[in-house]
Amino acid sequence: PMSDDRTPSPTALASGIFFTSLGVLLLEVSLTRIFSFTIWYHFAYLTISVALLGFGAAGSIIAAYPALLADPARLLRRACLGAGLGVIVAVLVVSSVPLDPLSVLKDRQQLLNIVIYYVVVTMPFLASGFAVAGTLTIAPERVARLYFFDLLGAGLACFLVVPLIWWIGTPTTVMLSTVAFALAAVCYAGRPSGRLIAVALAVAVIGVAIGTRVDFTPGRNKFISIHMATGGAPIFHRWTPINRVDAVAWDETKQNTRTGYRDWGSSKLYDGPGLHFRMIGYDGDSCASMYRYTGDPQELEWFHHHVFQAPYLMTEHPDVLVIGVGGGTDILNAIANDAKSVRGIELNPITVRLGKEDYAEYNGGIFNRPNVTMVAAEGRNYLRSHPDKYDLIEINSVDTLSALSSGAYVLSESYL
């Protein structure tokens, strides 16, 4: 039998499971953004499977060893603090141990790294699973009320994760889960000791401090890593709930302007130069070109010797809609081919900002022209909600390489 001083009060249980679920979902959802950047989109689902593994293992262990609940308040406090510490360890390991899952069959170190990832990412979910399973086990008569607070905390986390990533970035959002776990530990204590408060505060402060400083590196097979290994320098990065946006630039005195679209699709009879460019990457890959343009029409000559010009040969001065603007290649193509008007739809508002503001001088202000309108929106939704008609709709390279390279096209994020 458990004595009253060792069993948390109903209020302590309800508040404890609320903050535990808040921390778990904040961690789980935001970790998918980290893994989308560091490895590949389809490996982001690893987070979900690992979370279920941790929760399932915790429930099984408690069922097999009920003596663990001899002092439930102690177990719940330690489980929450352990979850917070587990988050810190997992983030430090993921940020410092490179993982290239595409090289597993030929590089044994990568196989070991996958195992390391599974272990460290499972730990905070295992620990928090002890808190949730333990709470429901010691108070089965209050399961409806406890489940309400469990769902309330989880729902609040899902509601907050998108604005939090916009506001403070993905790494800090991940580490905010340590604050939730620390609060859960204090709540489960009912009347927490000064020592417990100090430990919980230390976990929360260290976690947030790491979140504001830690950085992550995309896998070596991702385009951003390849660009930087071949002389590119990072000039911008920003986490968003959609993807992480990176910009890479080269020394123009050494840059080959006959690469990229200038080479892919150009007539073999054209021997002129292309344009200097920067690359904008999404989650470390799926890069889009942004060309340097001074406003001289002669600089756009190569567009007249490129397959890009084909649709413009069938119409004169069209009203054009571009879905998936990226760095603005299709906008330049429309300008080169005398489009009457151009409306560009781009999913990520940061990309729109880069073209309209940050790099407007570099790209010749093409996003700010009187006949060019830029809209941050999703293409299909925009077309459904606007009655405008167009002579030409361009959808160029919107299928992400992250999905295609997996060999599973069903994982593609684009249904345009």
Side-chain angles (χ1 to χ4, degrees):
M2 295 177 289
S3 59
D4 291 341
D5 60 338
R6 298 166 70 184
T7 304
S9 67
T11 300
L13 291 174
S15 57
I17 200 170
F18 168 83
F19 283 113
T20 301
S21 295
L22 177 68
V24 168
L25 267 296
L26 203 61
L27 172 65
E28 185 175 352
V29 176
S30 52
L31 264 183
T32 63
R33 297 289 340 115
I34 297 290
F35 287 140
S36 291
F37 174 67
T38 58
I39 36 183
W40 298 95
Y41 286 97
H42 42 293
F43 283 94
Y45 303 117
L46 173 149
T47 308
I48 300 171
S49 62
V50 166
L52 293 175
L53 172 64
F55 265 68
S60 299
I61 292 171
I62 286 179
Y65 302 98
L68 291 171
L69 291 173
D71 189 343
R74 183 181 183 184
L75 172 69
L76 299 178
R77 292 194 304 268
R78 290 188 172 185
C80 291
L81 292 176
L85 291 172
V87 173
I88 293 173
V89 172
V91 167
L92 291 175
V93 170
V94 169
S95 64
S96 58
V97 177
L99 176 61
D100 179 16
L102 302 182
S103 302
V104 167
L105 296 180
K106 54 186 177 182
D107 185 351
R108 293 184 179 181
Q109 181 61 47
Q110 297 305 317
L111 182 60
L112 176 61
N113 289 351
I114 285 182
V115 174
I116 293 172
Y117 269 51
Y118 263 103
V119 171
V120 299
V121 176
T122 299
M123 296 313 295
F125 293 111
L126 176 65
S128 56
F130 277 118
V132 173
T135 299
L136 298 177
T137 301
I138 65 177
E141 72 284 358
R142 300 190 183 94
V143 67
R145 182 170 184 267
L146 292 175
Y147 193 45
F148 169 79
F149 282 99
D150 172 77
L151 292 178
L152 186 63
L156 180 61
C158 293
F159 177 78
L160 289 176
V161 69
V162 169
L164 281 173
I165 290 176
W166 276 120
W167 181 34
I168 59 178
T170 303
T172 307
T173 301
V174 169
M175 301 311 289
L176 276 182
S177 63
T178 62
V179 177
F181 291 134
L183 288 172
V186 172
C187 289
Y188 277 128
R191 293 188 295 271
S193 64
R195 180 182 178 185
L196 174 62
I197 292 175
V199 173
L201 183 61
V203 169
V205 170
I206 292 172
V208 174
I210 291 174
T212 60
R213 291 170 172 78
V214 71
D215 195 15
F216 295 88
T217 303
R220 63 189 180 190
N221 285 320
K222 287 201 166 188
F223 277 134
I224 290 297
S225 294
I226 294 171
H227 290 328
M228 290 193 289
T230 56
I235 57 174
F236 175 88
H237 79 266
R238 170 74 186 272
W239 291 95
T240 80
I242 305 168
N243 43 43
R244 172 166 149 155
V245 180
D246 288 84
V248 178
W250 285 262
D251 181 348
E252 292 190 359
T253 62
K254 302 177 182 178
Q255 189 179 48
N256 181 4
T257 63
R258 294 174 179 248
T259 60
Y261 286 126
R262 162 59 183 83
D263 181 52
W264 306 330
S266 287
S267 168
K268 299 304 179 183
L269 301 178
Y270 176 65
D271 194 39
L275 295 171
H276 290 287
F277 59 89
R278 295 171 178 175
M279 298 300 289
I280 300 176
Y282 302 99
D283 278 337
D285 206 78
S286 302
C287 292
S289 302
M290 174 181 286
Y291 290 100
R292 180 166 65 78
Y293 179 51
T294 66
D296 182 357
Q298 293 299 317
E299 294 178 331
L300 305 182
E301 176 62 23
W302 67 272
F303 281 101
H304 297 296
H305 303 268
H306 197 285
V307 70
F308 279 151
Q309 190 186 31
Y312 290 94
L313 298 176
M314 296 181 285
T315 180
E316 292 185 1
H317 308 298
D319 291 310
V320 180
L321 176 74
V322 176
I323 298 179
V325 172
T329 300
D330 294 313
I331 304 295
L332 272 179
N333 185 40
I335 293 171
N337 288 285
D338 299 321
K340 179 182 178 182
S341 69
V342 186
R343 184 174 295 266
I345 311 300
E346 170 57 44
L347 182 63
N348 198 313
I350 296 300
T351 304
V352 177
R353 194 199 83 186
L354 290 178
K356 288 179 68 72
E357 300 175 19
D358 299 54
Y359 303 136
E361 183 178 353
Y362 182 84
N363 68 14
I366 59 173
F367 287 8
N368 300 314
R369 285 183 163 227
N371 65 334
V372 175
T373 302
M374 290 295 301
V375 180
E378 193 277 324
R380 292 204 308 173
N381 179 68
Y382 182 86
L383 288 176
R384 284 197 192 102
S385 57
H386 291 76
D388 309 282
K389 302 294 183 181
Y390 304 91
D391 302 307
L392 174 63
I393 298 178
E394 292 193 37
I395 309 176
N396 176 29
S397 302
V398 295
D399 293 314
T400 61
L401 297 177
S402 54
L404 299 180
S405 63
S406 71
Y409 190 81
V410 70
L411 295 173
S412 175
E413 303 80 19
S414 175
Y415 296 92
L416 290 170

Short mmCIF file of all heavy atoms in Angstrom, two decimals, residues 31-78:
data_model
loop_
_atom_site.label_atom_id
_atom_site.label_comp_id
_atom_site.label_asym_id
_atom_site.label_seq_id
_atom_site.Cartn_x
_atom_site.Cartn_y
_atom_site.Cartn_z
N LEU A 31 11.24 18.01 -33.60
CA LEU A 31 12.35 17.15 -34.01
C LEU A 31 12.22 16.72 -35.46
O LEU A 31 13.23 16.50 -36.14
CB LEU A 31 12.41 15.90 -33.12
CG LEU A 31 13.37 15.92 -31.92
CD1 LEU A 31 13.35 14.57 -31.22
CD2 LEU A 31 14.79 16.29 -32.33
N THR A 32 10.99 16.59 -35.96
CA THR A 32 10.83 16.23 -37.37
C THR A 32 11.44 17.29 -38.28
O THR A 32 11.95 16.98 -39.35
CB THR A 32 9.35 16.02 -37.74
OG1 THR A 32 8.62 17.25 -37.57
CG2 THR A 32 8.71 14.94 -36.88
N ARG A 33 11.39 18.55 -37.86
CA ARG A 33 12.01 19.62 -38.63
C ARG A 33 13.54 19.48 -38.62
O ARG A 33 14.20 19.73 -39.62
CB ARG A 33 11.61 20.99 -38.07
CG ARG A 33 10.15 21.31 -38.14
CD ARG A 33 9.60 21.57 -39.52
NE ARG A 33 10.58 21.94 -40.49
CZ ARG A 33 10.86 21.18 -41.56
NH1 ARG A 33 10.25 20.03 -41.76
NH2 ARG A 33 11.77 21.57 -42.43
N ILE A 34 14.09 19.13 -37.46
CA ILE A 34 15.55 18.94 -37.36
C ILE A 34 16.00 17.83 -38.30
O ILE A 34 16.94 17.99 -39.08
CB ILE A 34 15.96 18.60 -35.91
CG1 ILE A 34 15.63 19.76 -34.96
CG2 ILE A 34 17.45 18.25 -35.86
CD1 ILE A 34 16.46 20.98 -35.13
N PHE A 35 15.33 16.67 -38.25
CA PHE A 35 15.74 15.54 -39.06
C PHE A 35 15.49 15.78 -40.54
O PHE A 35 16.21 15.24 -41.39
CB PHE A 35 15.03 14.27 -38.60
CG PHE A 35 15.54 13.74 -37.29
CD1 PHE A 35 14.69 13.21 -36.34
CD2 PHE A 35 16.90 13.77 -37.00
CE1 PHE A 35 15.16 12.73 -35.13
CE2 PHE A 35 17.39 13.29 -35.80
CZ PHE A 35 16.51 12.77 -34.86
N SER A 36 14.48 16.57 -40.89
CA SER A 36 14.27 16.90 -42.30
C SER A 36 15.47 17.66 -42.85
O SER A 36 15.82 17.52 -44.03
CB SER A 36 13.00 17.75 -42.46
OG SER A 36 11.86 16.99 -42.20
N PHE A 37 16.09 18.46 -42.02
CA PHE A 37 17.26 19.23 -42.44
C PHE A 37 18.54 18.41 -42.39
O PHE A 37 19.32 18.40 -43.34
CB PHE A 37 17.41 20.48 -41.57
CG PHE A 37 18.66 21.28 -41.83
CD1 PHE A 37 18.84 21.94 -43.03
CD2 PHE A 37 19.67 21.36 -40.88
CE1 PHE A 37 20.00 22.68 -43.30
CE2 PHE A 37 20.82 22.09 -41.12
CZ PHE A 37 20.98 22.76 -42.33
N THR A 38 18.77 17.70 -41.30
CA THR A 38 20.05 17.02 -41.12
C THR A 38 20.16 15.74 -41.95
O THR A 38 21.25 15.39 -42.40
CB THR A 38 20.29 16.66 -39.65
OG1 THR A 38 19.21 15.83 -39.18
CG2 THR A 38 20.38 17.91 -38.78
N ILE A 39 19.03 15.03 -42.14
CA ILE A 39 19.10 13.82 -42.98
C ILE A 39 18.12 13.99 -44.14
O ILE A 39 18.36 14.80 -45.02
CB ILE A 39 18.91 12.53 -42.15
CG1 ILE A 39 17.89 12.70 -40.99
CG2 ILE A 39 20.20 12.08 -41.57
CD1 ILE A 39 17.72 11.48 -40.11
N TRP A 40 17.00 13.26 -44.15
CA TRP A 40 16.06 13.38 -45.26
C TRP A 40 14.64 13.33 -44.72
O TRP A 40 14.40 12.84 -43.62
CB TRP A 40 16.27 12.26 -46.30
CG TRP A 40 17.62 12.31 -46.93
CD1 TRP A 40 18.74 11.61 -46.54
CD2 TRP A 40 18.03 13.13 -48.03
NE1 TRP A 40 19.80 11.93 -47.34
CE2 TRP A 40 19.40 12.86 -48.26
CE3 TRP A 40 17.37 14.04 -48.86
CZ2 TRP A 40 20.12 13.47 -49.29
CZ3 TRP A 40 18.09 14.64 -49.87
CH2 TRP A 40 19.44 14.35 -50.08
N TYR A 41 13.70 13.80 -45.51
CA TYR A 41 12.32 13.91 -45.06
C TYR A 41 11.77 12.59 -44.54
O TYR A 41 11.12 12.54 -43.50
CB TYR A 41 11.42 14.38 -46.21
CG TYR A 41 11.57 15.83 -46.56
CD1 TYR A 41 12.38 16.22 -47.61
CD2 TYR A 41 10.90 16.80 -45.84
CE1 TYR A 41 12.53 17.55 -47.95
CE2 TYR A 41 11.03 18.13 -46.17
CZ TYR A 41 11.84 18.51 -47.23
OH TYR A 41 11.98 19.83 -47.55
N HIS A 42 12.01 11.50 -45.28
CA HIS A 42 11.40 10.24 -44.88
C HIS A 42 11.99 9.72 -43.57
O HIS A 42 11.35 8.94 -42.88
CB HIS A 42 11.51 9.20 -45.99
CG HIS A 42 12.83 9.15 -46.67
ND1 HIS A 42 13.29 10.17 -47.47
CD2 HIS A 42 13.79 8.20 -46.70
CE1 HIS A 42 14.48 9.85 -47.96
NE2 HIS A 42 14.81 8.68 -47.51
N PHE A 43 13.21 10.16 -43.21
CA PHE A 43 13.76 9.78 -41.93
C PHE A 43 13.22 10.64 -40.79
O PHE A 43 13.42 10.33 -39.62
CB PHE A 43 15.29 9.87 -41.96
CG PHE A 43 15.94 8.72 -42.67
CD1 PHE A 43 16.26 8.81 -44.00
CD2 PHE A 43 16.21 7.54 -42.00
CE1 PHE A 43 16.85 7.76 -44.68
CE2 PHE A 43 16.80 6.47 -42.66
CZ PHE A 43 17.11 6.58 -44.00
N ALA A 44 12.53 11.73 -41.13
CA ALA A 44 11.89 12.52 -40.08
C ALA A 44 10.83 11.71 -39.36
O ALA A 44 10.55 11.93 -38.17
CB ALA A 44 11.26 13.78 -40.68
N TYR A 45 10.24 10.74 -40.07
CA TYR A 45 9.22 9.90 -39.43
C TYR A 45 9.84 8.98 -38.38
O TYR A 45 9.12 8.35 -37.60
CB TYR A 45 8.49 9.08 -40.49
CG TYR A 45 7.85 9.95 -41.55
CD1 TYR A 45 8.24 9.87 -42.88
CD2 TYR A 45 6.87 10.88 -41.22
CE1 TYR A 45 7.67 10.69 -43.86
CE2 TYR A 45 6.29 11.70 -42.18
CZ TYR A 45 6.70 11.60 -43.50
OH TYR A 45 6.14 12.41 -44.44
N LEU A 46 11.16 8.89 -38.38
CA LEU A 46 11.86 8.16 -37.33
C LEU A 46 11.46 8.70 -35.96
O LEU A 46 11.35 7.93 -35.00
CB LEU A 46 13.37 8.31 -37.55
CG LEU A 46 14.36 7.79 -36.51
CD1 LEU A 46 15.64 7.36 -37.22
CD2 LEU A 46 14.74 8.87 -35.49
N THR A 47 11.22 10.00 -35.88
CA THR A 47 10.83 10.61 -34.61
C THR A 47 9.56 9.98 -34.06
O THR A 47 9.45 9.68 -32.86
CB THR A 47 10.62 12.12 -34.78
OG1 THR A 47 11.76 12.69 -35.41
CG2 THR A 47 10.39 12.80 -33.44
N ILE A 48 8.59 9.78 -34.94
CA ILE A 48 7.30 9.23 -34.50
C ILE A 48 7.48 7.79 -34.02
O ILE A 48 6.95 7.40 -32.96
CB ILE A 48 6.28 9.31 -35.64
CG1 ILE A 48 6.09 10.77 -36.07
CG2 ILE A 48 4.95 8.70 -35.23
CD1 ILE A 48 5.27 10.95 -37.33
N SER A 49 8.20 6.99 -34.79
CA SER A 49 8.38 5.59 -34.40
C SER A 49 9.17 5.47 -33.10
O SER A 49 8.88 4.62 -32.26
CB SER A 49 9.09 4.82 -35.53
OG SER A 49 10.38 5.35 -35.78
N VAL A 50 10.17 6.34 -32.94
CA VAL A 50 10.97 6.31 -31.72
C VAL A 50 10.14 6.75 -30.52
O VAL A 50 10.25 6.19 -29.42
CB VAL A 50 12.22 7.19 -31.87
CG1 VAL A 50 12.88 7.44 -30.54
CG2 VAL A 50 13.22 6.52 -32.81
N ALA A 51 9.28 7.74 -30.71
CA ALA A 51 8.40 8.18 -29.62
C ALA A 51 7.48 7.04 -29.17
O ALA A 51 7.30 6.80 -27.97
CB ALA A 51 7.58 9.39 -30.06
N LEU A 52 6.90 6.35 -30.14
CA LEU A 52 6.03 5.22 -29.80
C LEU A 52 6.82 4.10 -29.14
O LEU A 52 6.32 3.44 -28.21
CB LEU A 52 5.34 4.71 -31.07
CG LEU A 52 4.34 5.66 -31.71
CD1 LEU A 52 3.83 5.10 -33.02
CD2 LEU A 52 3.18 5.93 -30.77
N LEU A 53 8.05 3.88 -29.59
CA LEU A 53 8.89 2.87 -28.97
C LEU A 53 9.14 3.21 -27.50
O LEU A 53 9.03 2.34 -26.62
CB LEU A 53 10.22 2.77 -29.72
CG LEU A 53 11.30 1.88 -29.08
CD1 LEU A 53 10.85 0.43 -29.04
CD2 LEU A 53 12.62 2.01 -29.84
N GLY A 54 9.50 4.48 -27.25
CA GLY A 54 9.77 4.89 -25.87
C GLY A 54 8.55 4.75 -24.98
O GLY A 54 8.64 4.23 -23.85
N PHE A 55 7.40 5.19 -25.47
CA PHE A 55 6.18 5.11 -24.67
C PHE A 55 5.76 3.67 -24.43
O PHE A 55 5.37 3.29 -23.32
CB PHE A 55 5.06 5.88 -25.37
CG PHE A 55 4.92 7.28 -24.89
CD1 PHE A 55 5.90 8.22 -25.16
CD2 PHE A 55 3.82 7.67 -24.16
CE1 PHE A 55 5.79 9.51 -24.71
CE2 PHE A 55 3.70 8.98 -23.71
CZ PHE A 55 4.69 9.90 -23.99
N GLY A 56 5.85 2.87 -25.51
CA GLY A 56 5.46 1.46 -25.35
C GLY A 56 6.37 0.73 -24.39
O GLY A 56 5.91 -0.08 -23.56
N ALA A 57 7.67 1.00 -24.48
CA ALA A 57 8.62 0.34 -23.58
C ALA A 57 8.37 0.73 -22.13
O ALA A 57 8.43 -0.11 -21.23
CB ALA A 57 10.04 0.71 -24.00
N ALA A 58 8.08 2.03 -21.90
CA ALA A 58 7.83 2.49 -20.53
C ALA A 58 6.61 1.79 -19.93
O ALA A 58 6.65 1.32 -18.78
CB ALA A 58 7.64 4.00 -20.52
N GLY A 59 5.53 1.71 -20.70
CA GLY A 59 4.33 1.04 -20.19
C GLY A 59 4.58 -0.43 -19.92
O GLY A 59 4.10 -0.98 -18.91
N SER A 60 5.34 -1.08 -20.79
CA SER A 60 5.63 -2.50 -20.61
C SER A 60 6.48 -2.73 -19.36
O SER A 60 6.26 -3.69 -18.61
CB SER A 60 6.35 -3.05 -21.85
OG SER A 60 5.55 -2.92 -23.00
N ILE A 61 7.46 -1.86 -19.14
CA ILE A 61 8.33 -2.01 -17.97
C ILE A 61 7.54 -1.83 -16.68
O ILE A 61 7.72 -2.58 -15.71
CB ILE A 61 9.50 -1.02 -18.06
CG1 ILE A 61 10.43 -1.40 -19.21
CG2 ILE A 61 10.28 -0.98 -16.75
CD1 ILE A 61 11.50 -0.37 -19.52
N ILE A 62 6.66 -0.83 -16.66
CA ILE A 62 5.86 -0.60 -15.44
C ILE A 62 4.93 -1.79 -15.20
O ILE A 62 4.73 -2.22 -14.05
CB ILE A 62 5.07 0.71 -15.57
CG1 ILE A 62 6.02 1.90 -15.40
CG2 ILE A 62 3.95 0.77 -14.54
CD1 ILE A 62 5.35 3.25 -15.52
N ALA A 63 4.36 -2.35 -16.28
CA ALA A 63 3.48 -3.51 -16.13
C ALA A 63 4.25 -4.72 -15.61
O ALA A 63 3.74 -5.51 -14.80
CB ALA A 63 2.81 -3.84 -17.46
N ALA A 64 5.51 -4.86 -16.06
CA ALA A 64 6.31 -6.02 -15.65
C ALA A 64 6.91 -5.85 -14.27
O ALA A 64 7.13 -6.83 -13.54
CB ALA A 64 7.43 -6.25 -16.67
N TYR A 65 7.18 -4.59 -13.88
CA TYR A 65 7.80 -4.32 -12.58
C TYR A 65 6.99 -3.27 -11.82
O TYR A 65 7.40 -2.11 -11.68
CB TYR A 65 9.24 -3.84 -12.76
CG TYR A 65 10.11 -4.81 -13.52
CD1 TYR A 65 10.35 -4.65 -14.88
CD2 TYR A 65 10.70 -5.91 -12.87
CE1 TYR A 65 11.15 -5.54 -15.58
CE2 TYR A 65 11.49 -6.80 -13.56
CZ TYR A 65 11.71 -6.62 -14.92
OH TYR A 65 12.49 -7.52 -15.61
N PRO A 66 5.83 -3.66 -11.29
CA PRO A 66 4.98 -2.69 -10.58
C PRO A 66 5.63 -2.11 -9.33
O PRO A 66 5.21 -1.07 -8.84
CB PRO A 66 3.73 -3.52 -10.22
CG PRO A 66 4.19 -4.95 -10.29
CD PRO A 66 5.23 -5.00 -11.34
N ALA A 67 6.68 -2.76 -8.85
CA ALA A 67 7.37 -2.23 -7.66
C ALA A 67 7.99 -0.88 -7.93
O ALA A 67 8.31 -0.14 -6.98
CB ALA A 67 8.44 -3.23 -7.20
N LEU A 68 8.16 -0.53 -9.18
CA LEU A 68 8.69 0.79 -9.51
C LEU A 68 7.80 1.91 -8.99
O LEU A 68 8.26 3.02 -8.77
CB LEU A 68 8.85 0.93 -11.03
CG LEU A 68 9.94 0.07 -11.69
CD1 LEU A 68 9.82 0.16 -13.22
CD2 LEU A 68 11.32 0.55 -11.24
N LEU A 69 6.52 1.57 -8.77
CA LEU A 69 5.57 2.59 -8.30
C LEU A 69 5.40 2.57 -6.79
O LEU A 69 4.43 3.11 -6.26
CB LEU A 69 4.21 2.37 -8.98
CG LEU A 69 4.17 2.67 -10.49
CD1 LEU A 69 2.85 2.25 -11.09
CD2 LEU A 69 4.43 4.13 -10.73
N ALA A 70 6.34 1.94 -6.09
CA ALA A 70 6.27 1.93 -4.63
C ALA A 70 6.30 3.34 -4.08
O ALA A 70 5.67 3.65 -3.06
CB ALA A 70 7.41 1.09 -4.04
N ASP A 71 7.05 4.21 -4.72
CA ASP A 71 7.09 5.62 -4.37
C ASP A 71 6.78 6.41 -5.64
O ASP A 71 7.67 6.90 -6.34
CB ASP A 71 8.46 6.01 -3.82
CG ASP A 71 8.49 7.42 -3.25
OD1 ASP A 71 7.57 8.21 -3.56
OD2 ASP A 71 9.45 7.76 -2.52
N PRO A 72 5.50 6.53 -5.99
CA PRO A 72 5.13 7.10 -7.29
C PRO A 72 5.58 8.54 -7.48
O PRO A 72 5.99 8.92 -8.58
CB PRO A 72 3.60 6.98 -7.32
CG PRO A 72 3.19 6.82 -5.89
CD PRO A 72 4.31 6.11 -5.21
N ALA A 73 5.50 9.35 -6.44
CA ALA A 73 5.90 10.75 -6.59
C ALA A 73 7.37 10.85 -6.98
O ALA A 73 7.75 11.65 -7.85
CB ALA A 73 5.64 11.51 -5.29
N ARG A 74 8.17 10.01 -6.38
CA ARG A 74 9.61 10.02 -6.68
C ARG A 74 9.85 9.58 -8.14
O ARG A 74 10.65 10.19 -8.85
CB ARG A 74 10.33 9.09 -5.72
CG ARG A 74 11.84 9.08 -5.88
CD ARG A 74 12.44 8.10 -4.88
NE ARG A 74 13.90 8.09 -4.95
CZ ARG A 74 14.66 7.28 -4.23
NH1 ARG A 74 14.09 6.40 -3.39
NH2 ARG A 74 15.97 7.32 -4.33
N LEU A 75 9.17 8.51 -8.56
CA LEU A 75 9.35 8.02 -9.92
C LEU A 75 8.94 9.08 -10.94
O LEU A 75 9.66 9.33 -11.92
CB LEU A 75 8.50 6.76 -10.15
CG LEU A 75 8.46 6.27 -11.60
CD1 LEU A 75 9.81 5.73 -12.03
CD2 LEU A 75 7.37 5.20 -11.79
N LEU A 76 7.81 9.73 -10.71
CA LEU A 76 7.31 10.72 -11.66
C LEU A 76 8.25 11.92 -11.75
O LEU A 76 8.51 12.44 -12.84
CB LEU A 76 5.90 11.15 -11.29
CG LEU A 76 4.83 10.04 -11.28
CD1 LEU A 76 3.48 10.59 -10.85
CD2 LEU A 76 4.74 9.37 -12.64
N ARG A 77 8.74 12.38 -10.61
CA ARG A 77 9.68 13.50 -10.62
C ARG A 77 10.94 13.15 -11.40
O ARG A 77 11.41 13.90 -12.26
CB ARG A 77 10.06 13.89 -9.18
CG ARG A 77 8.95 14.51 -8.35
CD ARG A 77 9.53 15.16 -7.11
NE ARG A 77 10.33 14.26 -6.29
CZ ARG A 77 9.87 13.53 -5.29
NH1 ARG A 77 8.58 13.58 -4.99
NH2 ARG A 77 10.67 12.77 -4.58
N ARG A 78 11.50 12.00 -11.09
CA ARG A 78 12.75 11.59 -11.73
C ARG A 78 12.55 11.33 -13.22
O ARG A 78 13.45 11.60 -14.05
CB ARG A 78 13.31 10.36 -11.04
CG ARG A 78 13.83 10.65 -9.63
CD ARG A 78 14.56 9.46 -9.04
NE ARG A 78 15.20 9.80 -7.79
CZ ARG A 78 15.99 8.97 -7.10
NH1 ARG A 78 16.22 7.75 -7.58
NH2 ARG A 78 16.54 9.35 -5.97
#
